[in-house]
């Protein structure tokens, strides 16, 4: 069954442009070539003063394939480049099963 992982990210003040660049130029292209990859989105939240300013949405054909991505050398190379721009608690996440996915 397809899954989505939603992670709310606390981006450090002044790092917004750089994390967006890393996502577009580095993280997203590497993730897109992973086995079972379905989608990745980086959403800027309109939360006013909320510290959780971005949501990273990751979709894979199964949780096993998502876990394989998370354990991969590629992930170990690109996630720290995203994480370098996070602050505080850094992220909170939730995993969802996608019903009716094609």
């Amino acid at each position: 069954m397809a899954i989505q992982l939603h992670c709310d990210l606390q981006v450090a003040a002044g790092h917004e442009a750089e994390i967006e660049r890393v996502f577009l130029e580095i993280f997203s292209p590497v993730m897109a070539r992973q086995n079972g990859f379905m989608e990745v989105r980086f959403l800027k939240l309109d939360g006013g003063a909320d510290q959780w300013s971005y949501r990273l949405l990751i979709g894979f054909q199964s949780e096993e394939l998502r876990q394989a991505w998370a354990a991969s050398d590629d992930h170990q190379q690109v996630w720290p480049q995203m994480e370098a721009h996070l602050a505080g608690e850094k992220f909170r996440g939730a995993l969802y099963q996608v019903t009716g996915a094609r």
Side-chain angles (χ1 to χ4, degrees):
M1 179 172 284
I3 61 93
Q4 284 186 347
L5 176 65
H6 295 202
C7 292
D8 290 347
L9 304 177
Q10 185 180 357
V11 175
H15 287 246
E16 293 86 357
E18 187 58 17
I19 199 169
E20 290 174 12
R21 183 196 68 77
V22 170
F23 173 79
L24 289 171
E25 295 177 9
I26 300 168
F27 187 83
S28 179
V30 170
M31 179 179 245
R33 67 178 186 232
Q34 303 305 308
N35 188 27
F37 169 82
M38 293 179 70
E39 68 178 318
V40 63
R41 297 175 190 258
F42 196 50
L43 309 172
K44 188 168 186 176
L45 302 176
D46 185 12
D50 189 0
Q51 65 180 341
W52 306 103
S53 51
Y54 286 82
R55 177 166 294 148
L56 180 64
L57 184 148
I58 296 168
F60 274 86
Q61 292 173 349
S62 71
E63 173 58 4
E64 293 76 21
L65 291 169
R66 187 201 64 82
Q67 287 179 7
W69 149 249
S72 73
D73 289 342
D74 281 346
H75 186 275
Q76 303 312 311
Q77 295 279 324
V78 299
W79 177 248
Q81 294 179 61
M82 293 282 289
E83 193 173 35
H85 302 288
L86 302 182
E89 294 179 38
K90 299 188 177 158
F91 69 90
R92 62 183 179 191
L95 186 64
Y96 301 93
Q97 291 185 343
V98 180
T99 59
R102 299 183 219 192

